[in-house]
Amino acid sequence: MRSHAGTPPSRRRFLSLLAGGTGAGAAVLSGCALQVSSGVSGPGETVTLMVKPDDISPELIKQAQRDIGVKIVAVRYDITKLIGMMTSGSPPDLVRGVGAVDAPYFAARDVMEELDPYFASSSVLKVDDLDPVNDLWRYDGRTQGMGPRYGMAKDFSQDSMYWYNTALFDRAGVDHPPETEPVTYEQWLESARRLTQRKNGQTTVFGGSYNGVLTPNLLASLTVSAGGSLFSDDFSRVDFTTPEARKALGWYVGYCGARVGPSIIQPDPNGWDGPTYQANRMAMSNSGYWLGGVINADRNLAPFSRLAPAPVFEGGARVSPCQAGTGLWMPKKARNKEAAWRVFEWFFGEAPAKERAASGWGIPTLRSLRPLMPSQEPYQAEVLRVQEAELKHFSVIAFTPYATADSLYGLFNQIAPAALRGHMTVDALAGRLNSVMNEQLKRGKEQVG
Amino acid sequence: MTVDQVSAEIDRSAAQADADRARAAVRPRTSMAARRHRAFYLFTSPWIVGFLLLTIVPMAYALWLSFTTFDGVSPHWRYVGLGNYRELFADSQTWDALGRTGLFAVTSVPLSITAGLGLAVLVNRPLRARGLFRVLLYLPAVVPPVGAGLAFKALFDQNSGAANGVLTLFGFDALGWLNDPYARYVLLMTVLWGAGNIMIISLAGLQDVPRELHEAARIDGASAWRSFRSITVPLLSPVLLFQTVTGVIASVQTIMPLLLSPDGTTQGVTAISQSNYMYMMHVFAEYFALGRYGYASALLWVLFVLILGATGLIFKFTSGVVFYNVDPEAKK
């Protein structure tokens, strides 16, 4: 037989060499992937949390080890990474989510673990103690707010409420909003116009910001406030042409067009209201109680900051929803569910929850933690009074399970700028939004089955 | 034993000795070659395995996804054959984004190459503090793109940016630089700002141009411009070709519009101004904002083919004007 030594390897040999290398590499990689959620590590349990850095600090991770003997491995939240981990069968044990929009989406796709049995046996998280905001994490296969629980909010805000800077109101000679009675959306916009200050084409003070958490759930909330519903009964379609949705859309287009606050046609380089409000360059910010975390920490700003009830549409319903309800959920294929639940209990009902409640970053989602909310200073007491009165008007506004809020937001951003700049009528915008969003919802419905 | 038999035996022995010598001579050579091959594959195997796992496998996976309606989570995704590709060609947004990307490439690549070459010619002259100039001009290229994006966003913000500060100082009204229609100019500025990278490569090319050719041209009465056009540019043509090809590839894949956008995240990609909504932005929007992994994969495969085609065309149309400074004898 002729020797092959000294000749280049054949294609087959070359490929077999590569295949060997690939196999070895794949084994190494899959070993790494498995390590992410292997369950037990050392003397205690290990739980993988997919969260944002703000959700849990390194100190809290160490504290978990001390308090409950569970080692937490934090993985930075990233939807693509989450999908990759779920697809490979190694999901995190707990995942961050925005209850208002993520709960129906993931629950409808049957990737979330039902938590009712866990709640039933828990001595830390009792169903009677849960604030109604946690209903955002319920889904009965058709409507959000009913059925089994799939997660829990870590804190919340009634996001249509707004903070205002009394000093900027006084400087502009605008009356302060009433403490517990809502102004109309039209009045809010008029005040924002009067509060806006411009110089040489530059906005030195934004009259008011009103963008909600994400435009789609803002529009859904505004439509309910106008007395209607953005979604059809089965949540498979949107309709922006109903009088109520048209009113809501028209108001938002008017807000953006007036350029009294940040929007996609006048972006705020800070990306969110906090720093702009803190710099005394924003008179009103619709961020809900949650922004109190920033305000309470600023001794110069806090005495001049007040919280006001969510505006209403004339003749519409008084609703004050939560557009986020950010919290955690457990994937159905999580490997270490018992330990994950122990972390869940600790995070939502023990030391971290108490610390969050006292910080002013959102309202605690357990009623029993309400007394911890900041109220020592007179302005804090005033804010708390407004907030407590507003809680009576809380309601869950159900979101569609057939599309992510991000996808509807993306479609809105692609279509709306022309209308926001006055190059398209609101009616034409409503028609275009119906067309593109319903196409996305149709695709989503096909995929849910 | 007869004389013939002896003679035959001698011949056989001589032939055997020749064969042994030949085998002895060949064996070390072949085993050395085999060792070389083994060493080659051993040393390159990390790259080859990486290339397979991180390039070929994902590409093949993306190709498979491009024939499906996969969205990452939904249980009932399905195979749609060429459905995504058919939709892609009928999608006006794809064409609009492609048109904008093409326009950006044909504008930004020549501009940045010209700027980089101009700077290289300047800093190639015997100037005082030449090294310092080279460093300063190259510095922006060292800044990470995210940092550059944030800096430009702050610089060109309508309400607090320095660009409008200068405009208003001279009595002009502030402009919405990061919105339509100005956003495209800010994007171009970011490209030119990073021209130091091209400058460095051009500078290396310039220093390779033999000085005696310029001296001969000067003796023949050629002007500086003629000398630059007829000697420097032809000798730099391989460098310019390299810059053109890599520039086109980079410009059609640019993510700078995302970094200049208010949100700055892939989920918020749709909030960027329409004039900067390039092909890659469309891919991000479909992938991250709309969750259409299958469709976005089809978009990426089309982009891959387009880049290959564009590169092939560039090579074809420049083959007559690119001169390689290679000794013809060395090719033999």
Side-chain angles (χ1 to χ4, degrees):
Chain A
M1 191 176 166
R2 212 176 137 201
S3 166
H4 287 275
T7 59
S10 67
R11 190 166 49 178
R12 182 172 295 186
R13 235 182 108 217
F14 179 67
L15 289 175
S16 68
L17 266 171
L18 291 186
T22 310
V28 170
L29 281 186
S30 94
C32 292
L34 285 175
Q35 210 177 5
V36 168
S37 182
S38 59
V40 179
S41 165
E45 301 282 320
T46 298
V47 165
T48 310
L49 244 70
M50 182 176 261
V51 286
K52 290 192 175 175
D54 291 346
D55 295 328
I56 186 162
S57 63
E59 291 73 33
L60 267 182
I61 289 174
K62 283 182 199 152
Q63 193 178 331
Q65 181 91 52
R66 287 196 302 272
D67 288 357
I68 55 175
V70 176
K71 183 183 173 190
I72 292 176
V73 176
V75 179
R76 185 184 279 263
Y77 177 83
D78 179 290
I79 183 69
T80 311
K81 194 190 288 180
L82 173 64
I83 287 167
M85 290 173 82
M86 289 204 300
T87 308
S88 68
S90 303
D93 297 306
L94 291 170
V95 184
R96 160 194 239 269
V98 178
V101 290
D102 288 347
Y105 182 82
F106 286 113
R109 283 153 184 81
D110 201 26
V111 293
M112 290 171 131
E113 176 79 1
E114 283 187 24
L115 299 181
D116 284 339
Y118 294 92
F119 275 106
S121 60
S122 175
S123 58
V124 179
L125 302 173
K126 298 191 178 78
V127 173
D128 293 349
D129 193 23
L130 295 179
D131 188 278
V133 74
N134 291 299
D135 288 352
L136 285 172
W137 285 96
R138 297 173 72 184
Y139 182 69
D140 66 359
R142 187 175 169 278
T143 308
Q144 186 179 17
M146 292 181 266
R149 293 183 188 280
Y150 290 97
M152 186 174 163
K154 64 187 169 81
D155 48 48
F156 78 104
S157 287
Q158 289 173 285
D159 298 298
S160 297
M161 297 178 79
Y162 61 97
W163 288 85
Y164 62 96
N165 182 320
T166 56
L168 291 174
F169 267 69
D170 295 344
R171 200 202 301 171
V174 178
D175 290 341
H176 296 189
E179 195 174 90
T180 51
E181 285 307 304
V183 298
T184 64
Y185 278 104
E186 291 78 9
Q187 286 168 336
W188 184 95
L189 192 52
E190 182 50 34
S191 295
R193 282 198 179 97
R194 290 175 59 196
L195 288 158
T196 300
Q197 291 175 28
R198 294 196 173 93
K199 193 179 171 191
N200 296 331
Q202 289 178 293
T203 307
T204 51
V205 174
F206 289 109
S209 163
Y210 215 98
N211 290 291
V213 177
L214 273 181
T215 316
N217 45 8
L218 170 74
L219 291 171
S221 302
L222 288 174
T223 306
V224 172
S225 181
S229 171
L230 181 59
F231 297 103
S232 60
D233 287 346
D234 64 353
F235 297 95
S236 66
R237 296 181 69 75
V238 289
D239 190 353
F240 282 96
T241 59
T242 63
E244 297 84 7
R246 167 70 177 73
K247 191 173 190 177
L249 184 63
W251 182 85
Y252 186 65
V253 169
Y255 156 75
C256 296
R259 292 178 181 261
V260 294
S263 68
I264 49 171
I265 59 164
Q266 184 176 241
D268 184 340
N270 294 309
W272 69 296
D273 290 355
T276 317
Y277 184 86
Q278 216 172 356
N280 287 312
R281 290 193 51 230
M282 185 178 279
M284 298 188 282
S285 165
N286 108 289
S287 299
Y289 183 82
W290 174 79
L291 195 65
V294 171
I295 293 166
N296 279 322
D298 187 336
R299 292 278 158 198
N300 295 322
L301 185 66
F304 299 104
S305 290
R306 300 283 183 277
L307 188 60
V312 294
F313 277 114
E314 210 165 311
R318 184 171 178 189
V319 289
S320 191
C322 168
Q323 295 169 29
T326 303
L328 296 174
W329 58 277
M330 191 188 295
K332 201 163 225 173
K333 291 186 180 166
R335 298 190 176 189
N336 209 5
K337 289 180 182 167
E338 291 306 317
W341 176 254
R342 184 66 196 99
V343 171
F344 194 96
E345 284 183 316
W346 170 78
F347 187 71
F348 288 109
E350 295 177 21
K354 288 172 187 163
E355 197 179 301
R356 278 196 306 273
S359 71
W361 280 102
I363 306 164
T365 53
L366 292 180
R367 292 178 211 263
S368 57
L369 298 180
R370 291 257 177 85
L372 297 175
M373 291 167 77
S375 62
Q376 297 82 354
E377 303 291 341
Y379 51 84
Q380 289 173 334
E382 195 175 335
V383 164
L384 198 56
R385 201 163 50 242
V386 173
Q387 178 57 72
E388 279 173 351
E390 187 79 354
L391 279 169
K392 295 186 197 103
H393 305 284
F394 176 82
S395 60
V396 169
I397 294 179
F399 200 74
T400 179
Y402 301 124
T404 60
D406 277 333
S407 67
L408 300 186
Y409 174 60
L411 294 168
F412 182 86
N413 286 346
Q414 285 174 352
I415 308 292
L420 305 184
R421 289 197 176 87
H423 303 146
M424 185 196 280
T425 64
V426 176
D427 290 324
L429 173 65
R432 289 278 291 126
L433 289 176
N434 279 357
S435 167
V436 294
M437 287 189 182
N438 286 333
E439 185 63 29
Q440 179 77 0
L441 290 168
K442 186 178 157 209
R443 277 195 292 266
K445 193 167 187 212
E446 280 170 10
Q447 305 243 44
V448 170
Chain B
M1 188 180 277
T2 64
V3 173
D4 286 345
Q5 281 172 323
V6 170
S7 168
E9 184 59 31
I10 290 169
D11 285 348
R12 218 173 15 249
S13 301
Q16 183 65 39
D18 283 349
D20 287 347
R21 271 198 301 277
R23 265 201 295 277
V26 165
R27 194 176 298 126
R29 269 217 308 271
T30 46
S31 68
M32 186 175 290
R35 274 206 303 276
R36 277 205 199 110
H37 281 287
R38 267 200 301 275
F40 170 78
Y41 289 114
L42 194 66
F43 280 107
T44 55
S45 60
W47 182 86
I48 291 170
V49 171
F51 176 71
L52 275 173
L53 283 177
L54 304 175
T55 305
I56 297 298
V57 171
M59 280 181 74
Y61 185 58
L63 184 63
W64 157 244
L65 283 185
S66 75
F67 300 124
T68 70
T69 60
F70 185 70
D71 71 355
V73 189
S74 301
H76 299 296
W77 58 274
R78 58 198 164 83
Y79 177 79
V80 288
L82 293 173
N84 285 328
Y85 290 90
R86 275 195 293 272
E87 185 184 339
L88 184 157
F89 285 110
D91 180 359
S92 62
Q93 270 203 319
T94 303
W95 291 106
D96 290 347
L98 197 58
R100 260 179 238 118
T101 309
L103 188 65
F104 175 66
V106 298
T107 319
S108 66
V109 174
L111 267 179
S112 56
I113 291 176
T114 309
L117 183 58
L119 290 175
V121 170
L122 276 179
V123 297
N124 198 35
R125 297 172 71 83
L127 298 166
R128 243 169 157 189
R130 187 168 66 168
L132 180 68
F133 281 120
R134 287 179 181 174
V135 169
L136 290 177
L137 290 168
Y138 184 62
L139 218 51
V142 182
V143 175
V146 174
L150 289 173
F152 270 75
K153 226 157 76 168
L155 200 63
F156 287 98
D157 176 59
Q158 180 166 4
N159 299 309
S160 54
N164 276 344
V166 174
L167 281 184
T168 52
L169 196 68
F170 290 102
F172 296 103
D173 269 1
L175 297 176
W177 289 103
L178 298 174
N179 292 328
D180 293 321
Y182 305 106
R184 71 186 69 169
Y185 304 119
V186 176
L187 182 64
L188 263 183
M189 278 187 249
T190 64
V191 173
L192 291 177
W193 187 69
N197 219 353
I198 292 175
M199 177 197 79
I200 285 290
I201 298 170
S202 300
L203 189 60
L206 281 177
Q207 289 174 352
D208 231 17
V209 176
R211 190 173 295 175
E212 58 269 24
L213 292 180
H214 285 295
E215 285 168 358
R218 200 163 52 243
I219 290 165
D220 287 345
S223 66
W225 169 244
R226 180 63 198 260
S227 179
F228 176 76
R229 200 160 49 94
S230 303
I231 298 171
T232 309
V233 171
L235 288 177
L236 267 185
S237 57
V239 172
L240 296 176
L241 174 67
F242 166 78
Q243 289 172 340
T244 305
V245 170
T246 53
V248 167
I249 292 171
S251 63
V252 299
Q253 296 183 61
T254 184
I255 58 157
M256 191 47 91
L258 186 66
L259 301 175
L260 291 173
S261 75
D263 189 304
T265 68
T266 42
Q267 260 85 8
V269 63
T270 49
I272 70 166
S273 62
Q274 203 61 23
S275 56
N276 278 354
Y277 193 79
M278 307 278 177
Y279 194 88
M280 275 310 284
M281 300 302 104
H282 190 44
V283 172
F284 282 171
E286 293 291 342
Y287 198 100
F288 296 105
L290 303 188
R292 301 186 66 196
Y293 289 26
Y295 186 66
S297 300
L299 283 169
L300 281 175
W301 263 93
V302 166
L303 182 65
F304 177 68
V305 171
L306 285 175
I307 288 175
L308 281 184
T311 309
L313 284 177
I314 292 169
F315 275 110
K316 184 172 163 49
F317 287 116
T318 56
S319 59
V321 290
V322 175
F323 304 98
Y324 290 96
N325 189 15
V326 177
D327 177 6
E329 290 301 310
K331 281 186 175 174
K332 290 178 183 172

